[in-house]
Amino acid sequence: MGKSVDKQLDGQASDVILKTEQPYSNQSELKIVDQNIQGVNKKAHELSNSGKILTSLAAGGIAGGIAKTVIAPLDRSKIFFQTNETRNYRFRYALRWLKHGYRTEGLLSLWRGSTATLARIIPYSAINFMSFEQYKKLLKVEECWHPRLHRFIAGSLAGSTGQLLTY
């Protein structure tokens, strides 16, 4: 009474063989079945190159957008102090200015003007993150004799690519 189940994953046929005729007396049969099941799982979780590119673009864009949104109030206070004639900048003055803005103009005023920054940062972060992953793959960082140097080169190329394509 052996069972054979055929499943199709990502366009590739995979066999998962489950033997139910007799109890597992031989450990090698158990290992073969376990290896077949693990092989199916690995194939199911593997992304194509275009899937990796899209995932990297999305992850980079989302991370850049979230980071800039969190920092936006402090960035707004920095710009205020840069454009006014306050000579002694202190962090407590920036906090005081943020409290004043919140009390007089509301919470959303702290993020005023950040949409223009987000329109620049999201594509830049997406391209930067994606190109870094692609350059690492192209330079074979994991297989090379000096991975730090190759990672540095990949990061430099990724930064240059991001700047070139967004400005």
Side-chain angles (χ1 to χ4, degrees):
M1 298 198 100
K3 282 198 236 178
S4 179
V5 179
D6 291 333
K7 290 187 176 184
Q8 189 145 6
L9 299 172
D10 295 334
Q12 298 176 352
S14 300
D15 268 340
V16 178
I17 301 169
L18 300 174
K19 296 184 179 181
T20 57
E21 292 177 357
Q22 56 191 353
Y24 288 110
S25 60
N26 189 356
Q27 290 294 331
S28 64
E29 288 180 8
L30 182 62
K31 288 179 184 176
I32 291 171
V33 171
D34 187 41
Q35 287 172 353
N36 285 339
I37 292 172
Q38 286 178 357
V40 170
N41 289 340
K42 286 179 186 175
K43 288 179 186 177
H45 294 296
E46 215 171 279
L47 288 175
S48 65
N49 193 37
S50 60
K52 289 178 183 177
I53 289 173
L54 291 175
T55 303
S56 294
L57 282 170
I62 291 169
I66 289 172
K68 210 52 167 166
T69 301
V70 169
I71 296 299
L74 291 175
D75 200 31
R76 187 163 153 77
S77 70
K78 176 193 75 171
I79 292 169
F80 172 78
F81 283 103
Q82 286 176 342
T83 58
N84 289 315
E85 294 184 17
T86 305
R87 293 181 188 233
N88 295 329
Y89 175 79
R90 301 273 190 264
F91 186 69
R92 66 176 181 213
Y93 295 158
L95 291 177
R96 197 176 297 159
W97 183 82
L98 289 171
K99 284 181 192 175
H100 175 73
Y102 169 71
R103 288 182 188 143
T104 58
E105 299 176 27
L107 181 66
L108 292 179
S109 71
L110 302 177
W111 283 272
R112 188 172 294 141
S114 66
T115 50
T117 304
L118 287 175
R120 177 182 57 84
I121 285 297
I122 290 175
Y124 169 74
S125 296
I127 292 168
N128 196 9
F129 190 80
M130 181 273 305
S131 59
F132 178 65
E133 293 299 319
Q134 293 300 308
Y135 284 129
K136 278 192 337 186
K137 192 166 119 182
L138 181 72
L139 295 171
K140 298 178 181 172
V141 170
E142 302 303 325
E143 302 168 11
C144 68
W145 54 273
H146 202 293
R148 285 185 180 181
L149 176 65
H150 283 80
R151 222 177 277 120
F152 175 77
I153 293 169
S156 299
L157 290 170
S160 299
T161 303
Q163 291 291 326
L164 181 70
L165 294 177
T166 56
Y167 285 106

